[in-house]
Amino acid sequence: MLDYLVRRILGTIPVILVISVVVFAFVHLLPGDPARLVAGMDATLEDVAAVRKSLGLDGPIWDQYWRFLSHAVQGDFGMSLKSRRPVITEIGERLMPTVWLTVFAMVWATAAGLLIGVASAVKRGRWQDWGGMFVAVSGISFPSFWLGLLMIDLFSVRLGWLPTGGYGTPAHFVMPSFTLGLGVAAVMARFTRSAFIEIAREDYVRTARAKGVPEQTVIWKHTLRNALVPVITMVGLQFGFLLGGSIVVETVFTWPGLGRLLVDSVAYRDYPVIQAEILLFSLEFIVINLAVDVLYALANPEIRFR
Amino acid sequence: MTDATVASLAAEATRTPFGEFWRRFRRQKVALFAGLFLCALIAVAIAAPWIVPFDPVAPDYEAVLEGVSARHWAGTDAYGRDVFSRIVHGARISLAVGFLSVSLGSLGGVTLGVISGYYGGLVDSLIMRICDVLLAFPGILLAIAVIAILGPGIDNVIYAVAVFSVPVFARLARSSTLSLKRAVYIDAARAIGVADRLIMVRHLLPGALPNVVVYFSMRIGTSILTAASLSFIGLGAQPPSPEWGAMLADGRNYIGVADHVTLFPGLAIFVTVLAFNLLGDGLRDALDPKLRRL
């Protein structure tokens, strides 16, 4: 197992390096000279040179990359152009709100998705199945920002039960985490249903029924437990989807998280923040994938020896 | 053996793969209906300039934030523009963005996938690692990164959304190429000296197409949704464009005052994306009942 773990961690290094090159290259891909863009239209040549130096864009390109990488490893991404504060401080303040939002969304979405998926699979072909899957495909197609606005309209403006946006009390979490989780709940429901149906065809499930095991035990213990293995993988993949979705949901509910910071930075062309955020999001996704693979290997010894 | 069974056996023997597919697809009433709806929507989008009652961008300050009426079927927005006319025009934008971005993405992806699967070795590992990296980014994040470079705007949204379709199609095309590569007819083609490029285009590409078609429909739904999200957060279509996501962003300040301004564009996005997803589900089930996983 340790051997597998080490191999998997080493395997992520090339991917991380490629991503770091892409993120580094990002500033160079911009049309025009970023230093002039940042310094403004009427800056003197000295000003532009100073900005170029502060952005780390002076010297040979290999040198620039090396400086970028060694600073990034130490958590130094330079200064935000907008707030004039270190990028790492900006991001540090925004990290936890996004983490909590994602975790809450994931928890309810997984629970709901599992329940709907199992119910649909058990009542396969009947109205419960049809209804569950219709809700699921609708959930995938529903624009999260519209759902957010509809909920604000109903629960904040009309009923006055929940705050329209912001961060702080548990009440602030209700609508954003529901909005963010809906798409994931829908994907989980569809996926659980098909995984469950596949396992329900296995011989040992038939044997369990034949020897008189109660139906509830067959469903929850024999079938669902085995169907959970692919479902775990799916949970990991959906985390990436949530990270992406949080960008939109945070904008709707004025949530002080990483997603809104990214949108603001793109609008303001705050390149150091954009670079750091893209790197951070990618690393999060890689770490989650790694964790999923390890969990998967723990559950299924066959994979470790490939 | 009755005449009827003989006839049905004969029909089965002469049925083409497409005939078989169509027979199964026809039974999927929901998907069939979704397909018809989309055809109608495309027709409406093409005819938009001739059928809408009002100019979609010209303001009319005499008719600001009016509710639903016989004159304004979906009310008017904060500039007095007819919401219905804007939505019909917005269909042109959303459908065009969906089709163009997925076409670009699938063209690039399939090309890379077939090359990757056919040559194998170093080329294969290189292309697949790049795809891994692209897949490592959540779709919308990748799109935002592309927009951060190219700048906001609906044209750039097309490229941004196309990029994250590339790895999906590359993997699809690669896996079908890998399984077809070992077929006898490919060996035969190579033995008589057919050029690699021709083998890929004539003999390997067609094998990948059925799956590509299925994913095409599903990706259009996803792409339209992503493009609308980008416009909503202000990085896509800019005002006064009647793009659906941008309309929702415009209308969010009037929630509780004039709900129709956000209700109808939201509904338009939802119904369109739902139709593409239902069509995709139906195509997938008709193409291969076993392929229910992804």
Side-chain angles (χ1 to χ4, degrees):
Chain A
M1 187 63 217
L2 194 70
D3 185 42
Y4 174 80
L5 192 66
V6 170
R7 246 186 312 147
R8 276 299 278 109
I9 291 175
L10 288 179
T12 61
I13 290 176
V15 179
I16 292 174
L17 279 178
V18 172
I19 289 173
S20 76
V21 170
V22 172
V23 169
F24 165 75
F26 169 79
V27 170
H28 295 270
L29 288 172
L30 294 167
D33 178 0
R36 175 154 282 284
L37 222 62
V38 169
M41 290 306 271
D42 40 45
T44 62
L45 277 178
E46 290 81 51
D47 287 347
V48 174
V51 169
R52 181 169 292 127
K53 198 159 165 42
S54 76
L55 287 174
L57 296 176
D58 54 331
I61 193 133
W62 291 112
D63 197 36
Q64 287 181 33
Y65 175 66
W66 177 246
R67 265 183 287 155
F68 169 75
L69 197 65
S70 54
H71 285 166
V73 170
Q74 299 166 42
D76 176 9
F77 291 94
M79 293 287 191
S80 159
L81 302 177
K82 189 181 173 191
S83 67
R84 308 275 168 197
R85 294 193 308 155
V87 172
I88 197 75
T89 322
E90 289 272 310
I91 286 184
E93 287 169 5
R94 305 292 196 111
L95 182 65
M96 285 329 277
T98 297
V99 168
W100 285 121
L101 179 62
T102 320
V103 168
F104 279 121
M106 196 75 223
V107 169
W108 89 258
T110 309
L114 277 176
L115 279 176
I116 295 173
V118 170
S120 281
V122 171
K123 301 278 181 187
R124 197 173 167 204
R126 283 194 260 166
W127 68 265
Q128 292 96 331
D129 179 23
W130 201 85
M133 284 307 106
F134 187 76
V135 170
V137 76
S138 304
I140 292 171
S141 314
F142 217 98
S144 60
F145 46 95
W146 185 41
L147 178 67
L149 293 180
L150 288 175
M151 287 177 64
I152 289 175
D153 190 2
L154 180 62
F155 294 110
S156 307
V157 178
R158 285 175 205 278
L159 298 171
W161 290 351
L162 295 166
T164 55
Y167 177 73
T169 67
H172 285 104
F173 275 91
V174 179
M175 293 197 293
S177 57
F178 181 81
T179 308
L180 183 58
L182 184 73
V184 172
V187 173
M188 294 300 295
R190 277 160 69 110
F191 194 76
T192 306
R193 177 179 178 272
S194 63
F196 192 95
I197 287 172
E198 219 161 273
I199 300 288
R201 287 204 196 99
E202 296 282 333
D203 287 342
Y204 65 82
V205 175
R206 197 185 49 202
T207 309
R209 278 218 181 83
K211 73 177 185 187
V213 175
E215 187 61 23
Q216 291 298 323
T217 316
V218 173
I219 291 173
W220 297 110
K221 201 171 156 203
H222 292 79
T223 317
L224 183 63
R225 260 175 78 168
N226 289 290
L228 276 182
V229 177
V231 169
I232 291 174
T233 318
M234 204 60 188
V235 171
L237 291 176
Q238 290 304 309
F239 251 110
F241 178 86
L242 281 185
L243 286 176
S246 68
I247 297 171
V248 175
V249 172
E250 286 179 7
T251 307
V252 176
F253 293 102
T254 54
W255 192 262
L258 291 174
R260 209 155 61 90
L261 180 65
L262 180 65
V263 174
D264 291 346
S265 329
V266 172
Y268 195 85
R269 297 173 175 245
D270 195 345
Y271 300 119
V273 179
I274 300 175
Q275 279 183 313
E277 281 235 31
I278 290 178
L279 199 61
L280 184 73
F281 269 116
S282 320
L283 287 183
E284 271 180 56
F285 200 52
I286 288 172
V287 170
I288 289 163
N289 272 334
L290 187 70
V292 169
D293 280 359
V294 170
L295 278 178
Y296 202 71
L298 281 174
N300 187 356
E302 228 177 272
I303 294 173
R304 276 178 250 163
F305 301 110
R306 241 192 247 154
Chain B
M1 206 183 265
T2 63
D3 286 352
T5 38
V6 171
S8 80
L9 280 176
E12 199 152 324
T14 55
R15 208 174 276 145
T16 59
F18 179 78
E20 180 65 23
F21 163 78
W22 177 243
R23 193 180 60 86
R24 276 198 298 244
F25 181 68
R26 235 176 13 193
R27 283 202 226 125
Q28 320 245 4
K29 296 282 180 261
V30 179
L32 204 61
F33 181 74
L36 286 175
F37 168 79
L38 289 171
C39 290
L41 186 70
I42 292 168
V44 167
I46 293 172
W50 299 283
I51 59 173
V52 296
F54 293 92
D55 185 320
V57 290
D60 175 5
Y61 295 108
E62 304 289 303
V64 172
L65 293 176
E66 277 181 17
V68 175
S69 66
R71 188 171 146 78
H72 296 290
W73 292 358
T76 62
D77 68 7
Y79 297 92
R81 298 173 297 200
D82 182 52
V83 174
F84 175 74
S85 302
R86 284 173 68 74
I87 288 176
V88 173
H89 266 274
R92 290 168 81 95
I93 303 175
S94 286
L95 290 175
V97 170
F99 275 105
L100 287 174
S101 63
V102 181
S103 301
L104 275 176
S106 60
L107 202 68
V110 169
T111 311
L112 286 175
V114 172
I115 290 174
S116 184
Y118 184 70
Y119 288 112
L122 191 66
V123 179
D124 184 33
S125 340
L126 189 70
I127 293 178
M128 282 303 117
R129 282 302 80 73
I130 294 174
C131 285
D132 285 349
V133 173
L134 283 180
L135 281 175
F137 287 85
I140 193 161
L141 183 68
L142 196 62
I144 290 178
V146 173
I147 285 178
I149 296 171
L150 298 177
I154 197 73
D155 303 346
N156 295 338
V157 166
I158 295 174
Y159 302 118
V161 178
V163 171
F164 81 84
S165 283
V166 169
V168 179
F169 285 103
R171 285 201 171 171
L172 271 181
R174 176 176 178 266
S175 74
S176 94
T177 304
L178 281 180
S179 61
L180 286 179
K181 194 164 81 163
R182 297 190 200 94
V184 178
Y185 73 91
I186 300 293
D187 281 342
R190 217 177 295 161
I192 60 170
V194 179
D196 280 353
R197 198 157 43 88
L198 279 181
I199 293 182
M200 285 191 266
V201 174
R202 289 225 189 115
H203 303 297
L204 291 171
L205 185 65
L209 284 185
N211 281 331
V212 168
V213 169
V214 169
Y215 269 82
F216 202 91
S217 175
M218 295 201 202
R219 294 303 296 187
I220 287 184
T222 317
S223 298
I224 289 179
L225 201 53
T226 309
S229 309
L230 290 170
S231 293
F232 178 79
I233 58 180
L235 302 179
Q238 302 296 320
S241 165
E243 205 275 344
W244 295 338
M247 287 175 74
L248 272 161
D250 278 347
R252 63 183 295 191
N253 295 328
Y254 305 99
I255 281 181
V257 183
D259 290 328
H260 61 267
V261 183
T262 47
L263 180 67
F264 293 107
L267 208 57
I269 301 171
F270 171 58
V271 171
T272 307
V273 175
L274 182 66
F276 274 112
N277 283 338
L278 289 172
L279 177 67
D281 279 0
L283 287 173
R284 180 192 56 192
D285 292 353
L287 197 67
D288 180 4
K290 277 171 287 176
L291 194 97
R292 281 176 153 268
R293 272 177 49 84
L294 279 160

